[in-house]
Amino acid sequence: MTMQVLLNVVPVVVLIIIGFTVGSYRERRHYRQLAEREAKNQDVGVVNLREVISPETVGGATLVMGQAVIASDYFKSFIASLKKLVGGELQTYERLMERARREALLRAIDRAREVGATELWNIRYETSNIMSGRGNQFAISVEVFAYGTAITRKSETHAAA
Amino acid sequence: MIVVNTETIPGQQITEVKGLVQGNTIRAKHLGRDITAGLKNLVGGELKGYTELLTESRRQAIERMIAQAQELSANAIVNVRFTTSAITSGAAELYAYGTAVVVDEA
């Protein structure tokens, strides 16, 4: 009897421990990388205004996009499924959303840089649930999609030429 | 074909509005058979395979939108927006829409 119980419980506990240790490490590393990349990208201005200022100085405009799908680790998914019993703030989801959002925006900024732009206008976000943690699988992952218009100014294109 | 998500193309004049154009794709959501997704759900982090899949899907939706605009003899699409709709059979529809216009140097 106890053998049966152990056989069921031990794998789950092992997975939770792996999820906790490796997952926490990966999350901290991701946050660190996000901070570094955001510091490097301070020169690209990002706004969610619709009307571009001084349109007569605009050289070119292109749609740029960035997206990221981030999954939660086993331990956090486990905790989140327990949290759903008692209600309250789901920090697992909050952190997932924040990471995905920051990552998507950084990628959109990279795209903008590729076309030689230093301004990103009318930035918008779209979110979708990839795995919602329902059913017998409590895996959680979200997708954030960021898109905007990259603007190059005439003076910049002339300087580049 | 110029594609932007602002309402106008700064520095250019819209001479003709052709109409609403759209493009979409439908993708299956579940990755139960994907081994790497299963591993990532253990340790967390980015599901790169999925990101690529969705990037490809959106690119396809945009291409279809551009094809429609080309049929209308437009040279630009403004005010592009994206939506994602969950379909109950475990799939999601990625939809891009915008207004096809003809622009000229102001």
Side-chain angles (χ1 to χ4, degrees):
Chain A
M1 225 310 270
T2 38
M3 196 57 193
Q4 192 80 315
V5 170
L6 272 176
L7 235 60
N8 283 329
V9 167
V10 167
V12 176
V13 170
V14 167
L15 289 176
I16 288 177
I17 291 171
I18 295 175
F20 177 69
T21 46
V22 183
S24 309
Y25 165 72
R26 287 172 65 90
E27 193 189 43
R28 272 182 280 122
R29 192 182 61 173
H30 191 211
Y31 272 116
R32 212 173 34 240
Q33 288 169 347
L34 285 172
E36 281 167 10
R37 285 157 67 197
E38 278 164 6
K40 271 193 253 171
N41 281 303
Q42 290 290 342
D43 55 332
V44 176
V46 181
V47 291
N48 75 335
L49 299 171
R50 285 165 22 194
E51 296 277 340
V52 177
I53 292 171
S54 314
E56 63 284 347
T57 61
V58 171
T62 337
L63 181 72
V64 294
M65 305 168 284
Q67 58 193 66
V69 180
I70 310 282
S72 167
D73 60 71
Y74 204 85
F75 172 69
K76 294 208 186 60
S77 303
F78 180 70
I79 296 296
S81 65
L82 292 182
K83 210 52 187 298
K84 284 182 203 170
L85 289 175
V86 299
E89 202 179 353
L90 285 176
Q91 278 157 351
T92 297
Y93 282 97
E94 283 180 5
R95 280 199 282 258
L96 231 52
M97 286 300 308
E98 189 197 348
R99 284 168 67 188
R101 217 177 0 247
R102 287 167 73 179
E103 185 67 51
L105 182 60
L106 280 168
R107 288 176 184 177
I109 291 175
D110 282 339
R111 286 278 104 71
R113 214 184 270 286
E114 272 171 35
V115 300
T118 52
E119 297 172 31
L120 194 46
W121 286 80
N122 205 12
I123 195 82
R124 286 165 192 253
Y125 293 95
E126 277 280 313
T127 307
S128 51
N129 225 345
I130 304 292
M131 295 180 228
S132 56
R134 279 201 296 250
N136 57 349
Q137 273 289 77
F138 49 62
I140 299 171
S141 61
V142 294
E143 187 226 5
V144 173
F145 172 60
Y147 62 106
T149 303
I151 299 285
T152 50
R153 298 281 174 184
K154 286 202 184 102
S155 51
E156 278 160 15
T157 48
H158 282 171
Chain B
M1 180 77 58
I2 304 172
V3 179
V4 292
N5 83 327
T6 43
E7 285 170 17
T8 55
I9 299 175
Q12 308 237 354
Q13 184 97 325
I14 294 178
T15 54
E16 201 186 339
V17 173
K18 292 289 186 180
L20 193 67
V21 288
Q22 63 187 40
N24 67 342
T25 48
I26 300 183
R27 290 281 156 160
K29 272 209 296 191
H30 290 302
L31 282 186
R33 39 197 168 90
D34 189 329
I35 300 168
T36 33
L39 181 62
K40 281 288 167 62
N41 279 312
L42 174 59
V43 299
E46 191 187 354
L47 300 176
K48 288 207 174 73
Y50 228 151
T51 306
E52 278 159 15
L53 183 69
L54 290 167
T55 309
E56 179 56 35
S57 309
R58 286 213 174 81
R59 199 189 54 79
Q60 210 173 47
I62 292 170
E63 265 177 17
R64 290 174 183 176
M65 185 178 65
I66 290 176
Q68 260 193 21
Q70 277 166 346
E71 269 172 48
L72 296 171
S73 324
N75 64 354
I77 309 177
V78 295
N79 212 10
V80 172
R81 288 161 195 241
F82 295 85
T83 66
T84 310
S85 320
I87 300 174
T88 49
S89 59
E93 186 213 27
L94 299 165
Y95 180 64
Y97 61 106
T99 306
V101 295
V102 179
V103 293
D104 231 338
E105 287 290 326

